[in-house]
Amino acid sequence: MARAIRVNDRTNLTSGIARLGQRMRRQGTVAEQAHDGDTLIVSAVGDIGVRLLGIDTAEVSFRFPGTTQFVGIEDDRWKPFLADPFAKTWPKFTEELPAELVESLKGRLRENAAENHHRHARAAEMALEREIVSDMKVMQKTDESFQMFMVFGYEIMDIYGRFLCFINRNQPNRNKPAPRPLSYNERLLKLGQASPYFIWPNVNPWRKEDSILKAVPDPKGMKRQILLSKSLGRVRRDVAASRAAHHGIFHATDPLQLEPFELRFLSRRQRPSRWVIDLTADDGVLLRPENYYRVPNSEDRLFVSPEHVPLFVERGWKREAAG
């Protein structure tokens, strides 16, 4: 079935197809579903993609450099690119990457970078599938009857028309038929199959605020706020434990060489764009996007989109100087 929400790369417009919503298990009428002059109840026509918040897993496919074509990472074309994405044979970057970032990336990349990325992508995909199948058995549901519960962040949809959310099995009673588990987002992090990818304000404790202005943290109280956040603290500890145990992407002899967002900006031939806060510091500084690697552990990074940076500056945060 076609996607209900679609993105046109040429016009940069997000569009969708819907029909009148259901009413008492039947198709509703216009009179029933026109709630008032500016509200309609509709059902999406087609499938809707979901992007799990707070995590980033190795890419199964991505737009190959210099093309508009999405190509599976197992395709041989990726081998020379990921082995050396800075070779002169590839399209130029829109703005050159700083030498220190290039060296950081080169220091992790090997000749088998494409195979490495593909292996970890498949492992993450299979881990998610196993968790969902296990939940179906616990809930005694089938593919047709199994339902999932979604909780959205501040941003509801990404540039690809996918919902941005935390997602879990739909279980109204938290203890029946078994204690409700962590969300799929958190489970993949605990298994070591995903990298943390905390983007403000889409993760706790900031997504609970009733306005984006209230969600901007105090630069002098950031560390305390982090320490008081039970969910964020638990997730960060789980990731650190996975790293110490060499699970998944932290495998002792075959760790994930290239973080997923790194593959994306290298393939787009663009600099990273989100500013970074070091969650282990309390200095009120927004690190420049290209300096994210200076915070070595992914669970210690909080990314801030460029359009939100002025809100932080107004609150008293300082941008890291260029160069």
Side-chain angles (χ1 to χ4, degrees):
M1 182 178 288
R3 291 286 181 95
I5 301 172
R6 308 152 196 182
V7 177
N8 187 314
D9 289 334
R10 183 177 59 82
T11 62
N12 202 31
L13 292 176
T14 301
S15 62
I17 303 295
R19 62 166 62 92
L20 289 169
Q22 298 293 301
R23 176 86 170 188
M24 304 295 288
R25 297 185 180 182
R26 61 170 173 80
Q27 179 65 60
T29 65
V30 174
E32 290 168 336
Q33 303 300 43
H35 179 69
D36 54 30
D38 59 11
T39 307
L40 275 174
I41 306 301
V42 301
S43 295
V45 177
D47 298 327
I48 296 174
V50 169
R51 175 64 163 87
L52 277 61
L53 282 174
I55 71 172
D56 208 11
T57 63
E59 299 288 351
V60 171
S61 66
F62 199 69
R63 188 176 288 117
F64 192 75
T67 77
T68 59
Q69 181 183 7
F70 270 76
V71 177
I73 304 298
E74 77 281 3
D75 190 288
D76 286 343
R77 283 174 285 180
W78 284 103
K79 291 181 180 180
F81 175 76
L82 291 182
D84 185 6
F86 306 105
K88 293 182 179 180
T89 53
W90 307 116
K92 291 184 177 181
F93 284 88
T94 55
E95 184 180 359
E96 286 300 313
L97 301 185
E100 294 85 353
L101 174 55
V102 172
E103 289 305 309
S104 172
L105 293 164
K106 283 184 174 181
R108 287 180 273 125
L109 290 172
R110 303 289 180 268
E111 288 294 321
N112 69 338
E115 295 96 323
N116 167 273
H117 206 87
H118 179 247
R119 281 196 299 275
H120 284 287
R122 288 289 297 144
E125 183 181 16
M126 292 170 64
L128 178 58
E129 290 173 2
R130 284 194 299 269
E131 293 300 317
I132 295 173
V133 169
S134 175
D135 282 353
M136 286 182 177
K137 291 179 180 177
V138 171
M139 301 301 293
Q140 299 183 349
K141 300 293 184 181
T142 64
D143 287 347
E144 292 76 21
S145 61
F146 183 69
Q147 295 182 348
M148 287 175 271
F149 180 77
M150 298 182 290
V151 175
F152 299 96
Y154 170 76
E155 297 169 303
I156 303 296
M157 188 176 293
D158 70 5
I159 60 172
Y160 298 108
R162 300 175 300 188
F163 281 155
L164 297 170
C165 65
F166 294 86
I167 188 166
N168 205 346
R169 69 192 191 201
N170 187 32
Q171 182 180 329
N173 187 319
R174 66 182 303 112
N175 293 310
K176 293 182 180 179
R180 185 188 297 133
L182 297 171
S183 67
Y184 296 127
N185 316 47
E186 296 166 292
R187 289 189 233 177
L188 287 177
L189 288 174
K190 192 167 187 176
L191 290 168
Q193 297 297 348
S195 297
Y197 197 44
F198 306 144
I199 301 176
W200 182 91
N202 290 323
V203 294
N204 280 337
W206 306 284
R207 70 182 177 90
K208 290 185 174 182
E209 296 292 347
D210 57 12
S211 81
I212 192 169
L213 294 178
K214 289 182 180 178
V216 180
D218 185 334
K220 295 183 180 179
M222 179 75 166
K223 199 165 186 177
R224 182 174 183 275
Q225 187 180 31
I226 298 300
L227 290 172
L228 292 175
S229 175
K230 292 182 180 180
S231 60
L232 185 60
R234 181 187 66 241
V235 167
R236 293 176 69 206
R237 288 191 298 272
D238 285 345
V239 174
S242 290
R243 180 184 291 104
H246 302 296
H247 290 160
I249 62 174
F250 306 115
H251 193 281
T253 60
D254 187 30
L256 182 63
Q257 296 175 27
L258 198 64
E259 293 191 57
F261 79 93
E262 292 176 324
L263 182 146
R264 294 193 294 270
F265 75 69
L266 288 172
S267 300
R268 291 173 178 141
R269 315 308 282 166
Q270 297 174 345
R271 284 192 177 206
S273 60
R274 291 188 173 101
W275 293 66
V276 186
I277 292 172
D278 182 351
L279 296 180
T280 67
D282 206 19
D283 54 10
V285 173
L286 290 161
L287 297 175
R288 299 188 67 81
E290 63 270 21
N291 291 333
Y292 69 88
Y293 68 94
R294 294 180 183 172
V295 184
N297 293 334
S298 52
E299 70 271 21
D300 295 333
R301 302 177 193 143
L302 177 66
F303 290 94
V304 180
S305 297
E307 62 268 25
H308 292 144
V309 168
L311 298 178
F312 279 73
V313 172
E314 185 176 347
R315 188 69 185 271
W317 288 80
K318 303 295 184 183
R319 292 185 181 94
E320 180 187 27

